[in-house]
Amino acid sequence: MYPKTIQNFIEKFSKLPGIGPRQAARLAFWLLKGPKEIHQNLKHALESLDKDARTCELCHYVIENDGNNKCHFCDNPSRDHTTICVVEKETDLATIEKSGVYMGLYHVLGGLFSALDIAVPKNLKMPELVKRIENLKKNKSVEEIILALSPTYEGDLTAYYLEKLLKPLKVKVTRLGRGLPYGSDVEFADAQTLSGALESRKEIK
Ligand SMILES: [Zn+2]
């Protein structure tokens, strides 16, 4: 229906999370008609993502490519290094930080189990989490692992798997408590709900 250039744009952009073919088409026409400097700015922003950003060697949160291997959470001695909050994605971490109630460290899994596929996802940073806890345990410096995963089917599957995976490590594992409605996303929770959910977190035994 559309010329090849537009079709190609739609095909590429509709692979992005939250963007369907219709939105991608709207975006293509908006960009086509909009100021050309936006194209340059977008190009630079994409190049910079490639060049200037990488992930923290401990928690896998994004950091600047400036020679430091740790993020400003892992590298901050005033944070509580005995508690690790496991999140699905960076934007969930940002929401928890904004709530201001959590002072521990994080671990970004990079996704959740899929409801459509029973296989264990290979790209999730779960082996890295186990290794991290094992290393912390050598210095007896781990108190609690908080699973701050969204209360969805995918979040439940992931929490269930993590619970089994972490059990042999004999570390206290908790999950966010009341307040977050089933099917919601941690990323979009307000500060009050999130602090309530953090305070009422329940231990998984
Ligand atoms: Zn980090």
Side-chain angles (χ1 to χ4, degrees):
M1 181 168 56
Y2 296 125
K4 218 188 250 175
T5 328
I6 304 289
Q7 283 294 7
N8 183 41
F9 181 97
I10 295 172
E11 201 189 296
K12 301 286 181 302
F13 272 76
S14 54
K15 288 202 174 88
L16 301 177
I19 298 188
R22 202 181 293 181
Q23 283 132 315
R26 242 183 267 152
L27 197 58
F29 290 113
W30 184 84
L31 284 167
L32 203 61
K33 290 174 201 153
K36 292 287 172 262
E37 65 183 78
I38 292 179
H39 298 203
Q40 280 308 318
N41 292 346
L42 283 173
K43 226 164 98 182
H44 287 150
L46 276 175
E47 278 166 4
S48 170
L49 263 186
D50 240 4
K51 204 163 55 107
D52 305 324
R54 60 201 185 93
T55 54
C56 169
E57 63 177 12
L58 287 176
C59 72
H60 302 278
Y61 183 58
V62 70
I63 52 172
E64 299 284 338
N65 205 359
D66 60 2
N68 193 348
N69 293 332
K70 289 183 198 161
C71 69
H72 61 283
F73 302 114
C74 294
D75 213 17
N76 184 348
S78 66
R79 306 274 312 192
D80 170 13
H81 282 243
T82 66
T83 307
I84 298 176
C85 181
V86 180
V87 293
E88 174 199 345
K89 52 194 185 297
E90 292 81 355
T91 42
D92 295 348
L93 180 156
T95 305
I96 294 172
E97 267 308 285
K98 259 187 257 161
S99 79
V101 291
Y102 180 70
M103 277 308 290
L105 302 184
Y106 292 97
H107 192 89
V108 182
L109 278 184
L112 294 175
F113 274 59
S114 161
L116 306 169
D117 188 356
I118 52 158
V120 177
K122 287 193 178 72
N123 55 335
L124 303 190
K125 305 292 182 197
M126 294 190 295
E128 289 83 353
L129 176 65
V130 172
K131 216 169 152 194
R132 197 175 161 196
I133 298 170
E134 280 171 347
N135 282 338
L136 283 169
K137 279 201 77 168
K138 280 179 202 155
N139 311 316
K140 289 193 170 41
S141 59
V142 61
E143 302 254 323
E144 184 180 353
I145 310 298
I146 304 169
L147 304 180
L149 305 173
S150 295
T152 57
Y153 182 62
E154 290 83 354
D156 285 351
L157 275 180
T158 313
Y160 180 74
Y161 185 83
L162 279 175
E163 182 194 321
K164 297 272 167 276
L165 193 69
L166 302 182
K167 197 150 204 158
L169 300 177
K170 294 189 169 50
V171 61
K172 182 180 177 188
V173 180
T174 57
R175 189 152 183 215
L176 291 187
R178 70 181 145 73
L180 288 173
Y182 197 80
S184 68
D185 191 316
V186 168
E187 181 184 349
F188 303 114
D190 61 81
Q192 209 179 356
T193 309
L194 205 56
S195 63
L198 268 167
E199 275 157 20
S200 64
R201 62 186 184 268
K202 290 181 197 86
E203 183 167 2
I204 302 169
K205 285 179 180 164

